[in-house]
Amino acid sequence: MARLLSFALGLAAGARACSNILVTKGASADGRAHVSYNADDAALIGAVSHWPGRRHPPGATRDVYSWDSGAFLGVIPEPEATLNVFGNANEAGVVIGETTHGGLALLSNVGKTGANGTLLDYGSLIWITLQRARTAREAVETMVALCETYGYASDLEGFSITDGDEVWYMELTGRGDFDPHGVLYVALRVPDGAILAHANQARITRWLPCDDASVCRASPDLVDFLVARGLYPADADPALASFSDAVDPVTFAGARFCEARVWDVFRRASSAFDAAKHLDYARGVDLSTRMPLWIEPSRKLGRGDVHALMSSHFEDTWFDPAVDVGAAAEHAPYRWNGLEWALGNASYVNERVVGTQYTAWHFVASVAPSDAGVPAPMRAVLWFGADDHSWSPKIPIHGGAREVHRSYDDGDCAGRSACRRALGLPGTTTEFSLDNAWWLSTIVADQVYTRYDRAAPTVLAAKEALDARLAARLADAEAAATALFAAGDAGAALAVLDAHAVAAGALASETWLGLWQTLLVAYVDGRVTTVDEDDEVCGCAKESAAFTDAWKTKVVADTGDKYLARSDAKTDDDGRPKTMLRSARAELPRRHHAFPARAKTSIRGVAA
């Protein structure tokens, strides 16, 4: 979502900065197109919004709310009929994701809503388009038509669009005060067999010639507009025009915080991608060595591969944040002090990882092509998760489904807390609820953040086990629904998809609640608790965390002999030196405390 006009805005709580990966069907291991999306926003709760498909009477209207602020923007008329939309997928198999690029201030309509008649922010634009478009190309056309009719209320966005047959990437911005209802855009079809990633920095450079609507679409007057506003030299060759350089020039922040994530995805996906060549660009040192817009992966990617890419923390790269002192003793790649910090007169950065703790929700969408024989309501499957992509469960939800488990339900609120309260839905970002999937994912992830080396393997194993169970249930539900569609009983088939979505959410929430309890017991008070049936008191063993010599060396280097234990030259019975601390401990009087009866909590299966 937002690397806005000043990147500092992206550091504030509530600002959005997302990551997307687009995988064409020819680059996919299962022959389905994939679009993945981390919706990164510290202020937004992760839940599944739903707009039922329906026919509308003449004069029907739709309320429009800003996704960023929750403010009411106005109303627009409804068409005669709209499609069922669950999350970012619809019943026809269309999926749309986004990342906000920000772009130039003179083209932005942020904050101008109402003053110049603009009504549609980028979030509303996605969901309204999904209610109306049946193909990816139709989605591109619909988004442009909606903006030109009702006004675009945001700034530069990158949109990821697929219908299973084709994958399109579109960059779209307003025209500012020059034309409140106009937009500038370029939309390109990703070649089959290729993948594309974008992360808050415009990436489309050359787009001309754009004379084949099956692979390229753009504003007809784009070059003329750029030249007239001094954004492209009048005497330059139009065919060399770069959309990105004109409307969102790369800066240090755009490279280091945004393009570096694309670099990380590309280097992991393809051994042919020259990561060394583009390293200085990703670091923000050499901004001239732009990366290709798309690449071909070394092997075809499965859904699990895409999840792994969307959970990346720059492991084993120059950027790896898990190896310096900021990672603390357990090598956590996360930082709590934002992307920029200062010491004296100098400014420093933290790395912006793909799998950030600030993700509100995420998905990897798997979309079957139209010739696969899959009923339309089943073509798009969102593997949806709340909170951090790295540590949360993902539940499969079909674009044609009409119900989801209460713990994942957001009604038509699009994250607005007041709307959730009005509908009686559990939890907001400021109101804790164990009945809310986002909170369950959050409390599990928080156990990992502070116990990274110890807790991460346990959570990853739980994710893998749950994913296998959900995949098996998905296969059963799809077999049953397919048979019902073939028999002409669409109502019963949709009921199967509904029941499956509800059951998947229930299983995920129940499993994650149990996992949190297990982690809490295993790592309470910073200790590591494991089962020890020979212990007659608690049936457990409690040990201090084992830190590496590298971390101990950092502590000693920082503190000198402040914590050095002084030996009194005596030894224990085991021959070890008796330190002052150990000698004193033996002389301390035994203290007794009254504790309530211990609850019997199972910790079996927890990794030591």
Side-chain angles (χ1 to χ4, degrees):
M1 308 182 190
R3 187 188 64 83
L4 294 176
L5 313 176
S6 167
F7 200 85
L9 190 58
L11 309 179
R16 300 179 178 176
C18 307
S19 304
N20 284 191
I21 301 174
L22 299 74
V23 181
T24 59
K25 62 181 181 180
S28 167
D30 60 6
R32 292 170 170 246
H34 299 292
V35 165
S36 60
Y37 181 21
N38 283 358
D40 301 336
D41 184 347
L44 187 66
I45 199 159
V48 185
S49 296
H50 178 218
W51 290 270
R54 56 173 58 122
R55 301 192 69 81
H56 300 280
T61 59
R62 184 193 197 280
D63 291 344
V64 179
Y65 292 88
S66 168
W67 193 21
D68 281 332
S69 69
F72 176 70
L73 303 182
V75 298
I76 66 172
E78 290 279 31
E80 181 179 349
T82 51
L83 299 169
N84 185 78
V85 176
F86 230 134
N88 286 60
N90 72 18
E91 62 180 290
V94 178
V95 174
I96 305 177
E98 62 77 36
T99 77
T100 299
H101 303 332
L104 300 177
L106 81 165
L107 301 179
S108 175
N109 284 330
V110 173
K112 299 175 183 177
T113 304
N116 58 8
T118 55
L119 289 179
L120 300 180
D121 73 311
Y122 65 99
S124 299
L125 182 61
I126 289 175
W127 285 311
I128 293 172
T129 297
L130 285 170
Q131 290 178 282
R132 302 179 183 214
R134 292 184 173 274
T135 68
R137 295 190 199 183
E138 190 176 327
V140 172
E141 296 169 356
T142 301
M143 294 173 85
V144 173
L146 285 169
C147 290
E148 292 178 343
T149 302
Y150 304 111
Y152 179 60
S154 296
D155 47 23
L156 179 61
E157 285 285 331
F159 294 101
S160 307
I161 308 168
T162 189
D163 56 13
D165 293 322
E166 301 177 351
V167 175
W168 285 73
Y169 173 57
M170 178 166 68
E171 292 181 348
L172 179 149
T173 188
R175 299 184 182 220
D177 293 335
F178 302 113
D179 179 4
H181 279 214
V183 288
L184 302 172
Y185 72 95
V186 176
L188 300 177
R189 179 179 171 183
V190 183
D192 198 32
I195 69 170
L196 181 150
H198 59 104
N200 309 120
Q201 168 64 52
R203 306 205 59 243
I204 295 176
T205 51
R206 297 181 186 178
W207 76 92
L208 292 172
C210 189
D211 52 8
D212 183 351
S214 69
V215 295
C216 176
R217 301 181 180 214
S219 303
D221 66 337
L222 182 51
V223 173
D224 291 340
F225 181 94
L226 296 177
V227 170
R229 274 75 191 178
L231 301 176
Y232 187 71
D235 57 352
D237 184 352
L240 301 180
S242 167
F243 187 71
S244 169
D245 291 330
V247 302
D248 189 27
V250 181
T251 61
F252 168 81
R256 186 64 170 265
F257 296 144
C258 305
E259 289 280 77
R261 283 176 274 160
V262 176
W263 176 89
D264 193 35
V265 170
F266 280 2
R267 76 162 194 97
R268 292 176 185 274
S270 173
S271 58
F273 173 70
D274 195 340
K277 173 184 176 181
H278 297 289
L279 176 58
D280 279 350
Y281 171 71
R283 290 173 55 200
V285 174
D286 176 8
L287 302 182
S288 64
T289 314
R290 295 291 296 267
M291 295 182 292
L293 182 58
W294 48 61
I295 62 168
E296 292 189 5
S298 297
R299 60 179 177 83
K300 294 188 176 184
L301 303 179
R303 177 176 63 83
D305 296 319
V306 183
H307 282 302
L309 291 171
M310 296 298 287
S311 301
S312 171
H313 306 103
F314 286 125
E315 289 87 352
D316 303 318
T317 72
W318 182 90
F319 299 94
D320 192 344
V323 295
D324 62 68
V325 68
E330 296 214 33
H331 310 99
Y334 302 96
R335 299 293 184 271
W336 311 137
N337 61 329
L339 291 180
E340 296 183 71
W341 50 281
L343 180 63
N345 295 323
S347 295
Y348 300 86
V349 303
N350 289 320
E351 305 302 347
R352 170 51 164 100
V353 297
V354 177
T356 177
Q357 71 271 28
Y358 293 124
T359 300
W361 48 269
H362 57 272
F363 63 76
V364 173
S366 174
V367 188
S370 58
D371 61 0
V374 178
M378 295 170 50
R379 284 179 58 199
V381 181
L382 291 182
W383 286 83
F384 181 94
D387 195 50
D388 190 333
H389 201 126
S390 307
W391 314 112
S392 74
K394 292 90 174 72
I395 64 170
I397 306 170
H398 294 89
R402 301 159 301 179
E403 295 182 30
V404 71
H405 189 260
R406 180 175 171 79
S407 60
Y408 284 88
D409 191 7
D410 196 41
D412 61 356
C413 294
R416 289 177 289 122
S417 295
C419 177
R420 291 184 58 82
R421 296 187 193 102
L423 293 180
L425 296 172
T428 69
T429 52
T430 59
E431 298 164 7
F432 178 80
S433 174
L434 286 175
D435 295 321
N436 179 279
W438 182 83
W439 273 113
L440 291 174
S441 295
T442 296
I443 58 180
V444 167
D446 276 7
Q447 290 290 316
V448 177
Y449 298 152
T450 53
R451 303 161 176 84
Y452 200 79
D453 287 344
R454 291 172 287 166
T458 303
V459 177
L460 292 176
K463 278 179 57 182
E464 183 177 354
L466 178 61
D467 192 89
R469 294 179 66 187
L470 290 172
R473 291 188 177 197
L474 173 65
D476 291 342
E478 289 190 331
T482 299
L484 289 168
F485 276 121
D489 195 345
L494 291 174
V496 170
L497 301 185
D498 293 343
H500 165 260
V502 172
L507 176 60
S509 290
E510 177 186 352
T511 302
W512 243 238
L513 176 59
L515 177 61
W516 171 66
Q517 294 168 333
T518 296
L519 293 170
L520 193 62
V521 172
Y523 304 119
V524 66
D525 295 336
R527 298 276 187 171
V528 181
T529 304
T530 55
V531 173
D532 181 358
E533 295 180 351
D534 292 332
D535 187 288
E536 296 182 0
V537 178
C538 70
C540 65
K542 290 181 178 286
E543 300 177 357
S544 296
F547 296 147
T548 63
D549 285 347
W551 176 254
K552 296 173 187 176
T553 300
K554 291 176 182 178
V555 174
V556 173
D558 190 44
T559 62
D561 63 359
K562 177 179 179 180
Y563 297 113
L564 181 66
R566 311 290 182 179
S567 173
D568 58 6
K570 297 180 181 179
T571 60
D572 286 331
D573 292 339
D574 59 7
R576 293 181 297 167
K578 182 183 292 184
T579 64
M580 294 173 62
L581 179 61
R582 296 177 67 211
S583 299
R585 182 186 299 133
E587 300 172 3
L588 290 175
R590 188 174 185 86
R591 297 185 180 181
H592 299 275
H593 301 274
F595 290 98
R598 283 188 294 272
K600 295 182 179 180
T601 306
S602 173
I603 55 172
R604 298 181 187 278
V606 177

